[in-house]
Amino acid sequence: MEPNYSAYSLAELLDAQKHLDSVQYPQRAQRLQQEIDLRCQRDQQLAAERDSSAAKRLVRFEFTGQKGAYFKLWIVNLLLSIVTLGIYSAWAKVRNSQYMLGHTKLDGQPFRYLAKPMQILKGRIVAVVVLVLFTLVSQLSPFAGLLMTLGLLVATPWLILQGMRFSMRMTAYKNVRFSFEGSYFGTLVTFVLLPMVGAFTLYLAMPWVFKKMDQYLYGNSSFGGKRFEVTTDSGPYYGASLAAAGLAIVGFIALFSLVGVNEMVTQVGGDAEAQIQLLPILLMYSGAFLVSFLVRSLYQGMILNHVFEQTQIDNVVSFEPKISVGSYVAMMTTNAAMLLGTLGLAYPVTQVRKMAFITESVGVALHPGAQALTNTVSGDDSAFGEEAAGVFDLDLSIT
């Protein structure tokens, strides 16, 4: 009768191997050796998992910002920017960013925004001068304007790249700065050529393009000289895009129907006052804003979990997101309603609510390598790329 080695312990297997005559029972000896190898491999894997679990430390983000405090800071900065004809806006940007990042903590340590107001002001002035020259030249000479437009198209990847690099390098955690290591060619392909491919495929390839954009943005970001690794799949992007497109269709059909019914009621009522005649226009614009906001929120809510799950720095950090799509969409929808109801004055409140929601929903696993990171970048970068990108509406951000 053949022994059932799978029921043996490793010690019993080794004892059986010691007393087995491998010459007389070669096949039994082979099966016994295979079972021993399998057990040893399994024990090694379990030991590695135990060591990994013991080595990594689970922590959470924490956001301590307050709606009222940030609103006061934001509104004062806005008023000072208006009074100084925009000059103070550089200081306003630094103060706002320092508040939001300074109240975002990981393992009890805050993030920091390190840009200086004069860096931003100089970059902003140069960007505005370029914009004014572009406008004047375009009006005086259409041909020269065309040449400058082509020059802007060529410069677009560089502006995006420099903007991302400045923004990341001005952000630090424990005195270690983030950075962005993208290239001009990579930015050109990702943000200029790939969207064209998506358009030529009647937008059927756009979810794949969105995936490539995220992979480029996150995959070229680094912390302490270590790049993030991003292994996102196309499937979740197609699922999120289809859901968002379906919601957009339903939402705009409902909006057009509501506007149409309102128009019919107005016509039946005969002559209407000017305020009533403006109602369909207001309804259309506000409704389009809400539907667009809702569609974007649904897409973001569905894709954020996947992006966080598939992003890590080997032996440094990984993420464990638990973002509820329904709760995220509800939060963003109320944010949109607040923005509409206050004509944009609730913007700082919506930012605090969004940051608090995301930080509460994402866990972080810190691995042993996180303790060995040191700063590898300087902070003397020019802000021109970031400010020019904002002036020409080319700004990108990592959410």
Side-chain angles (χ1 to χ4, degrees), residues 149-215:
T149 301
L150 294 176
L152 177 61
L153 291 175
V154 173
T156 293
W158 182 85
L159 293 174
I160 294 174
L161 177 61
Q162 296 302 314
M164 286 298 303
R165 185 167 294 166
F166 180 82
S167 179
M168 296 294 285
R169 290 189 174 188
M170 294 301 112
T171 305
Y173 175 70
K174 289 186 174 180
N175 295 322
V176 179
R177 294 176 185 255
F178 290 83
S179 187
F180 188 74
E181 311 298 336
S183 66
Y184 175 89
F185 180 75
T187 306
L188 173 67
V189 171
T190 304
F191 295 104
V192 179
L193 300 183
L194 287 186
M196 293 180 182
V197 172
F200 287 144
T201 61
L202 301 180
Y203 295 96
L204 294 178
M206 282 308 296
W208 173 80
V209 173
F210 293 151
K211 182 197 75 170
K212 299 299 290 184
M213 287 181 174
D214 281 348
Q215 287 181 340

Side-chain angles (χ1 to χ4, degrees), residues 4 78 104 138 151 162 168-169 235 264 306-307 326 397:
N4 182 16
L78 176 63
T104 303
S138 298
Q162 296 302 314
M168 296 294 285
R169 290 189 174 188
M264 291 175 60
H306 179 63
V307 172
S397 62

